[in-house]
Amino acid sequence: MSQQGFVAGFSQGGYSSAYGASNPQTHYGHFAVPPQGVAPTPATFKTPTSPGSGMPLPPGTGQFMTNGLHNGTSEQRFPPPTSVPSPSAYPLPTGPRLAAAPASTQQLTNQMGGMQIGGYGQSLLQAPQPPMSSVALQTMSSPPLGHVQPLQAPPTCPPPMGVGPAMGTMGTVPPMGMPGSFPGPPPPSSGTLQQLSGLCGPQELLHQQGGYGGQPAGSLPGFPGAFPPGAAQMAGPPQKKLDPDSIPSTTQVIEDDQAKRGGQIYTTNLRGQVPPLVTTDFVVQDQGNASPRVMRSTVYSFPCTADLAKQCQVPLAVTIKPLALIPKNETPLYTVDHGEAGPIRCNRCKAYMCPYMHFIDGGRRYQCGFCSCVNEVPTFYFQHLDHVGRRVDAYQRPELSLGSYEFIATPEYCKDKKPPNPPAFIFMIDVSYSNIKSGLVRLVCNELKGLLERLPREEGAESSVVRVGFVTYNKILHFYNVKSTLAQPQMMVVSDVAEMFLPLLDGFLVSFQESRSVISSLLDQIPDMFADTGESETVFAPVIQAGVEALRAAECSGKLFIFHSSIPTAEAPGNLKNRDDRKLFNTEKEKTLFQPQKGVYEQLCKDCVTSGCCVDLFLFPSQYVDVATMGSVSMHTGGSVYKYNNFQVDIDGEHFLRDLRRDVEKPVGFDAIMRVRTSTGFRATDFYGALHMNNTTDVEMAGVDCHKAVTVEFKHDDKLSEDTGALIQCALLYTSVGGQRRLRIHNLGLNCSSQLAELFKSCETDTLINFFAKSAYRAMVNQPLKTVREILVNQTAHMLACYRKHCASPSAVSQLILPDAMKVLPLYMNSLMKSAALVGSPELSTDDRALHRITVTSMGVEETQALLYPRLMPVYSMDMVSDTLPPAVRCSEERLSDSGAFLLEDGRRMFLWLGQSCSPEFIQGVFNVPSFTHVSPDMTSIPELDNPLSKKLRTVMERISQQRAQAMKLLIVKHKEKSDMLFRQYLVEDKGLHGVSYMDFLCHVHREIRQLLT
């Protein structure tokens, strides 16, 4: 989000200056230019700018200027669907009027006194017709223009039919080109408008005119800086309660997509097609574009110009998971080896050979699809062309027919032009008093004996070539010689931690297979060796420095597994002080709590990246440890941070061991450099993830595993062509666990359009919220959280206001019109603003908030989707025969039943909630106790019982766990007991302790949109 800009006034069709009188300061946002005299501020989160320039419009131009119309649609490059669902209309409550409106505005509000159920069917537009049946529900302060549809639960309806596979779940928009302003019927030339009354289709919420839900105008809990009362607000009777079933539902969107596209083969041969949702079960067939498991875009039809991008406010970004796992039922990645010649690349832009290269001159030359440079084809690579100009061997070469593939790298791609050595894993165990007393040290040592048998290895290899080393530490460091020729391990102590060095070269990093007996002996001895320790102080930075020195001496890359207990206070480089100050919460200085300490740790990050040293940190604190600083090393080296508060072996041990096993066994690459190239007209500007950058283009990661994702934001630097589209190539150069240097290439082609309707139709909400979460979490270390939250609200309102103004059909401003592809964006956005990192609450520790921020920064789209909208499933009435998971329900307290049992998971934690009246049969079948009162809330797993219910529930939990990147700790929650309050914070549609409900936020966003439009 590096673009700067100013907020202009919205007169006669523009947005109001600086988002209303209550917010006079200037903000900067996407695709905008800073005003004169304002220097761009690096690494900050900017407010979205308005599409208007702030200048008065020419005489005679209305809200939809004729010279700004988008007539027709862009050229289709794939078969169009037979029909497309319409945008959804949701009239919402807005609250009482505080001031009389001017005469012209009053006329507008009078017109909004009545409401119509508007939406597009499959016929052409026609003049509005009154509903088939209507009932007057209330006396309005002005005569209604139409009739009011009675409020009722929407009928159950099947998903819209006739949507082609290329469109996915894209919402549609009505035909463009309607001059005039809201409200009023469209001109006769627009066709026919279909009225829906009580039919399946767009849902509507009954509402009254006026301010926001009875809330005092201009105030909203959790959203500082709300808008002042607008002129269009008017008085009305007391607020009726709205039906929550009438507002957009994430679970319904997920179910509809699964029903429509689940179980199908998704082929990637079409440019710009929107893939199924991350929650949908589908099979990918690579035919020229990367799988959506690897690359997902916020929008699959880029705007052709920077002005259009600025106008729509939709961020242009792609989330890339370069080493994403490929399911067993899909074709594995092909590896291409060109021998000493190496990969073929464009001479100008250095893009790698891919399906976007166009061969000419009978196959002797090719034109680069990214920069249009014409290159000679090497003699060894020459092949004739067929009658359509395609190489006759195109389908025999992965790089010419697939979206993802790997090249074997030549020595030119290696450090010092030498092939790399196999990587190493170094296990560094804190043996201070707390870790010994808790039993952690013994637990780790016992687990490693078996875990080292399962070190990651190259596919097809008999054994792993990863070498291992061991260090223990408290105030001083102990290195171990475990050479295979020794009868017993040898310890070497380094007490001068100020000048860290490696006391031995030979025997520190060894093959586990060769030194198995010596290593086993060492792991047996370590817990007893330090059993009587009284040392409670620890060092931290010297431990990492020791690992870096060891890898540097062995001339290899690798990973450090650090098991640490407390804040490093011992006198040494990088010692930390307790800077946790709850008084800073919700103040301007709160951001300093999340800023890592500079100096030693900053240099440590650079040293780690240079040496290819990735750091995975396992923390076992009983109090504050400054995760913001200690975790920063992991964050910048591609590592992970795990935290177990007040660790107890019997309660947390199994959870920790599952995390450790996954962490050691997962596929990983080392010493990685990633470059994202684009076709002409746009470029990558910002990168979000567990990474380090020394320049503006090269993303450096000491380690990158199968779950790490990088989100890349793009910006226009020229006009894009609808014919050629927008092409993106991600190239990852890394060292495999087998010690081989490789290049993994991923290609993605997107459409380009000059129609805003096409853009909104091709948006993907899950990727959008992934981008917003990462950009907000980066901004929170530079800006007050209040400002970050305001910007998120403003960005949401601007996108939806742009859609309403330029794409939706004319309708009363009182209706909330949402694009079908983004109809649950407000729900995710509200959940994001209630997330741990963005909430300054005394109930949440600074360390936990910092951990949340670090973790989300490297998450993929699937992980952020689960985190921001947890899955809630009733498990007390499961179908014992079906092999599918129980259908999820909306994540709200209203869905809970006092006689039921529900499973909730967000990819990090799992809860089994039991109602007070839960049936004794369920309790007996799952817990083997007679009643609700006998269930222990301290259980962390359910017993293995030999009955259908127990087997089914354990199968469901195991399947969910396999879908997630991390092991999830199970918490048994009993209704109205202590843990019930924690559980309810995960019900994101409700108000909770730290924000507003989904319904209230939707009304708030609606009010913001109305302010922008009026």
Side-chain angles (χ1 to χ4, degrees):
M1 306 186 54
S2 59
Q3 300 80 8
Q4 310 279 336
F6 62 92
V7 177
F10 184 59
S11 57
Q12 301 183 37
Y15 292 150
S16 60
S17 175
Y19 310 117
S22 67
N23 196 7
Q25 77 271 27
T26 304
H27 291 298
Y28 305 101
H30 286 295
F31 309 106
V33 185
Q36 278 190 322
V38 178
T41 306
T44 54
F45 187 59
K46 272 72 72 176
T47 306
T49 57
S50 66
S53 65
M55 299 300 292
L57 300 178
T61 47
Q63 198 162 357
F64 290 90
M65 299 178 292
T66 38
N67 59 357
L69 296 179
H70 306 297
N71 294 309
T73 56
S74 63
E75 179 185 343
Q76 290 276 3
R77 281 169 287 277
F78 44 84
T82 52
S83 73
V84 201
S86 357
S88 306
Y90 307 97
L92 292 176
T94 48
R97 171 174 67 94
L98 296 188
S104 59
T105 312
Q106 192 65 48
Q107 293 169 6
L108 175 64
T109 56
N110 289 344
Q111 289 182 359
M112 295 189 293
M115 84 175 194
Q116 304 157 9
I117 296 188
Y120 282 87
Q122 296 175 13
S123 63
L124 298 172
L125 242 106
Q126 66 183 12
Q129 304 288 333
M132 293 157 59
S133 62
S134 55
V135 179
L137 285 185
Q138 61 195 46
T139 305
M140 305 297 290
S141 54
S142 57
L145 186 70
H147 299 281
V148 180
Q149 183 71 17
L151 179 65
Q152 57 188 352
T156 306
C157 46
M161 302 300 291
V163 179
M167 289 295 186
T169 54
M170 299 182 292
T172 59
V173 285
M176 305 301 297
M178 300 178 183
S181 58
F182 305 77
S189 60
S190 295
T192 25
L193 175 70
Q194 178 143 357
Q195 285 292 324
L196 304 177
S197 178
L199 302 175
C200 296
Q203 305 142 347
E204 289 206 296
L205 300 178
L206 192 62
H207 74 100
Q208 302 148 240
Q209 299 298 335
Y212 169 93
Q215 195 71 26
S219 71
L220 182 66
F223 301 105
F227 287 93
Q233 297 167 341
M234 56 181 289
Q239 183 62 53
K240 268 185 176 289
K241 187 176 180 183
L242 300 176
D243 180 6
D245 285 327
S246 303
I247 55 179
S249 160
T250 296
T251 51
Q252 190 61 53
V253 168
I254 290 171
E255 281 179 25
D256 290 348
D257 197 67
Q258 177 64 35
K260 190 186 304 177
R261 310 184 74 176
Q264 297 182 6
I265 294 178
Y266 174 78
T267 56
T268 66
N269 58 326
L270 299 176
R271 188 180 75 199
Q273 62 175 329
V274 181
L277 298 181
V278 288
T279 49
T280 299
D281 183 23
F282 61 99
V283 177
V284 177
Q285 190 175 83
D286 189 343
Q287 292 189 3
N289 285 295
S291 163
R293 305 189 205 286
V294 177
M295 297 178 80
R296 279 186 178 266
S297 180
T298 55
V299 58
Y300 285 81
S301 187
F302 270 26
C304 281
T305 64
D307 288 342
L308 206 60
K310 179 180 172 182
Q311 187 178 29
C312 73
Q313 293 290 324
V314 177
L316 309 178
V318 170
T319 297
I320 306 168
K321 201 183 276 188
L323 296 185
L325 291 173
I326 300 173
K328 293 178 180 177
N329 59 346
E330 293 180 15
T331 308
L333 216 62
Y334 286 96
T335 302
V336 180
D337 187 357
H338 287 318
E340 294 181 2
I344 297 170
R345 306 175 69 178
C346 170
N347 291 329
R348 181 194 291 167
C349 70
K350 302 302 180 186
Y352 293 89
M353 181 57 67
C354 67
Y356 308 143
M357 304 301 188
H358 178 57
F359 288 85
I360 55 177
D361 286 354
R364 288 184 290 275
R365 297 196 293 169
Y366 68 91
Q367 185 174 28
C368 176
F370 294 90
C371 68
S372 301
C373 174
V374 176
N375 301 269
E376 297 290 332
V377 174
T379 307
F380 81 92
Y381 200 70
F382 172 79
Q383 185 56 269
H384 295 285
L385 308 183
D386 62 15
H387 63 287
V388 293
R390 178 187 286 272
R391 283 175 56 123
V392 297
D393 65 347
Y395 292 108
Q396 281 74 53
R397 291 192 176 273
E399 71 273 23
L400 298 180
S401 56
L402 299 179
S404 299
Y405 44 88
E406 275 196 334
F407 288 116
I408 301 295
T410 54
E412 282 72 27
Y413 293 88
C414 306
K415 283 183 180 177
D416 303 323
K417 297 191 176 180
K418 293 192 304 186
N421 292 315
F425 285 180
I426 303 178
F427 297 90
M428 316 184 91
I429 306 170
D430 169 4
V431 289
S432 62
Y433 175 75
S434 60
N435 272 3
I436 292 291
K437 183 185 175 185
S438 70
L440 172 72
V441 174
R442 190 173 297 278
L443 184 70
V444 170
C445 291
N446 288 339
E447 177 63 26
L448 286 179
K449 294 176 193 173
L451 187 55
L452 293 177
E453 301 272 7
R454 305 193 296 276
L455 292 172
R457 60 178 185 265
E458 208 74 85
E459 197 167 328
E462 290 184 9
S463 61
S464 173
V465 295
V466 173
R467 291 172 293 168
V468 294
F470 302 89
V471 174
T472 56
Y473 68 95
N474 39 50
K475 282 169 61 175
I476 58 176
L477 276 72
H478 323 103
F479 295 80
Y480 296 94
N481 184 345
V482 285
K483 197 173 181 181
S484 59
T485 55
L486 297 175
Q488 286 292 323
Q490 297 174 346
M491 176 199 285
M492 297 188 179
V493 179
V494 176
S495 54
D496 182 9
V497 292
E499 295 292 333
M500 184 48 59
F501 67 96
L502 188 67
L504 74 161
L505 290 176
D506 190 28
F508 179 66
L509 294 178
V510 299
S511 163
F512 173 70
Q513 282 74 23
E514 295 174 5
S515 300
R516 186 191 309 265
S517 60
V518 187
I519 291 173
S520 182
S521 175
L522 171 67
L523 295 173
D524 284 336
Q525 293 177 37
I526 286 176
D528 298 328
M529 218 184 306
F530 300 97
D532 300 325
T533 185
E535 186 58 71
S536 59
E537 284 193 314
T538 59
V539 295
F540 183 67
V543 178
I544 297 176
Q545 192 63 50
V548 171
E549 295 296 335
L551 296 178
R552 194 177 288 161
E555 296 184 343
C556 71
S557 53
K559 181 182 282 193
L560 310 183
F561 296 84
I562 302 179
F563 306 91
H564 192 85
S565 63
S566 58
I567 189 166
T569 54
E571 194 59 41
N575 62 331
L576 299 172
K577 295 179 180 178
N578 189 333
R579 59 191 181 112
D580 185 21
D581 186 356
R582 301 292 180 93
K583 293 177 183 176
L584 298 182
F585 282 15
N586 297 311
T587 69
E588 290 285 319
K589 293 184 178 180
E590 182 177 11
K591 60 190 177 187
T592 60
L593 297 174
F594 306 104
Q595 296 168 353
Q597 298 295 290
K598 302 289 184 183
V600 171
Y601 288 95
E602 203 170 23
Q603 185 58 46
L604 206 52
C605 290
K606 294 177 182 177
D607 292 345
C608 285
V609 172
T610 304
S611 301
C613 175
C614 174
V615 179
D616 278 358
L617 184 56
F618 293 82
L619 291 170
F620 306 88
S622 56
Q623 54 190 8
Y624 176 79
V625 289
D626 198 351
V627 170
T629 298
M630 296 176 70
S632 66
V633 184
S634 295
M635 181 174 167
H636 289 289
T637 60
S640 304
V641 183
Y642 304 84
K643 184 165 172 277
Y644 311 88
N645 295 329
N646 302 308
F647 180 82
Q648 293 175 267
V649 169
D650 53 340
I651 295 175
D652 306 295
E654 188 55 39
H655 178 215
F656 156 63
L657 291 179
R658 289 201 307 268
D659 275 335
L660 178 59
R661 289 164 195 154
R662 288 192 184 203
D663 199 51
V664 170
E665 296 172 18
K666 65 188 174 187
V668 62
F670 296 99
D671 201 12
I673 299 177
M674 190 176 92
R675 175 75 70 90
V676 177
R677 294 179 173 86
T678 59
S679 52
T680 51
F682 72 114
R683 59 190 169 87
T685 58
D686 270 305
F687 300 85
Y688 304 86
L691 50 86
H692 180 80
M693 296 192 74
N694 276 323
N695 55 45
T696 57
T697 56
D698 292 335
V699 177
E700 297 182 63
M701 295 173 281
V704 54
D705 63 58
C706 58
H707 301 304
K708 292 290 185 294
V710 177
T711 299
V712 185
E713 187 179 9
F714 300 97
K715 178 183 176 183
H716 285 75
D717 50 20
D718 203 351
K719 189 173 180 180
L720 297 175
S721 163
E722 292 192 26
D723 295 330
T724 56
L727 308 180
I728 301 168
Q729 182 179 83
C730 164
L732 179 80
L733 175 65
Y734 72 101
T735 301
S736 71
V737 288
Q740 194 175 47
R741 203 70 174 147
R742 293 185 174 183
L743 276 157
R744 184 166 293 197
I745 311 297
H746 300 295
N747 304 288
L748 182 65
L750 304 173
N751 285 338
C752 294
S753 176
S754 56
Q755 309 293 325
L756 282 173
E758 288 293 314
L759 182 144
F760 280 104
K761 193 165 60 175
S762 69
C763 285
E764 199 198 44
T765 298
D766 294 334
T767 314
L768 276 169
I769 203 64
N770 177 276
F771 169 81
F772 281 126
K774 292 182 179 183
S775 53
Y777 288 174
R778 176 185 289 184
M780 63 181 282
V781 298
N782 298 305
Q783 298 187 18
L785 291 188
K786 175 184 173 184
T787 305
V788 174
R789 289 192 292 261
E790 284 176 358
I791 292 169
L792 288 173
V793 177
N794 288 335
Q795 181 87 38
T796 306
H798 273 78
M799 289 189 291
L800 299 178
C802 177
Y803 174 83
R804 172 66 181 264
K805 179 184 174 186
H806 297 286
C807 304
S809 59
S811 60
V813 179
S814 56
Q815 283 186 326
L816 174 62
I817 308 292
L818 301 172
D820 201 63
M822 297 169 70
K823 63 186 177 186
V824 292
L825 179 65
L827 171 53
Y828 281 112
M829 197 65 85
N830 186 41
S831 179
L832 171 60
M833 289 195 293
K834 293 191 288 185
S835 64
L838 293 181
V839 171
S841 166
E843 287 92 15
L844 297 170
S845 74
T846 306
D847 275 345
D848 285 341
R849 295 173 65 194
L851 176 65
H852 185 91
R853 174 182 176 267
I854 289 171
T855 305
V856 172
T857 297
S858 62
M859 276 186 176
V861 176
E862 188 174 359
E863 288 84 6
T864 49
Q865 187 280 328
L867 186 72
L868 294 174
Y869 196 85
R871 181 162 45 176
L872 180 65
M873 295 178 291
V875 292
Y876 61 99
S877 57
M878 294 184 290
D879 183 349
M880 298 297 167
V881 180
S882 171
D883 60 351
T884 59
L885 295 175
V889 296
R890 296 182 75 146
C891 203
S892 169
E893 182 180 355
E894 292 187 0
R895 307 295 158 164
L896 300 178
S897 162
D898 197 40
S899 60
F902 292 79
L903 198 65
L904 182 143
E905 63 89 18
D906 69 346
R908 316 285 298 170
R909 303 186 75 164
M910 186 181 289
F911 298 88
L912 180 57
W913 184 89
L914 304 172
Q916 278 186 317
S917 305
C918 189
S919 73
E921 292 79 15
F922 181 87
I923 299 291
Q924 183 71 48
V926 173
F927 299 99
N928 202 25
V929 294
S931 69
F932 174 84
T933 54
H934 291 82
V935 177
S936 169
D938 297 328
M939 299 172 66
T940 56
S941 63
I942 60 173
E944 294 188 19
L945 304 176
D946 188 15
N947 66 67
L949 179 59
S950 176
K951 290 178 180 176
K952 175 70 175 179
L953 183 56
R954 282 185 283 113
T955 300
V956 167
M957 293 166 67
E958 183 59 31
R959 281 188 58 186
I960 292 171
S961 182
Q962 289 172 356
Q963 293 173 358
R964 301 306 183 201
Q966 283 196 359
M968 291 183 284
K969 181 181 178 180
L970 177 67
L971 188 66
I972 306 296
V973 179
K974 297 173 71 175
H975 185 28
K976 293 187 178 177
E977 294 199 1
K978 185 178 178 182
S979 55
D980 197 27
M981 183 62 74
L982 172 65
F983 168 78
R984 289 173 190 273
Q985 301 316 304
Y986 289 78
L987 303 177
V988 294
E989 292 199 23
D990 299 335
K991 183 177 185 295
L993 293 174
H994 311 121
V996 298
S997 69
Y998 170 36
M999 177 78 79
D1000 289 344
F1001 181 72
L1002 200 60
C1003 295
H1004 179 62
V1005 168
H1006 183 217
R1007 188 177 66 168
E1008 307 274 295
I1009 294 170
R1010 291 180 61 184
Q1011 288 276 3
L1012 296 173
L1013 294 176
T1014 58

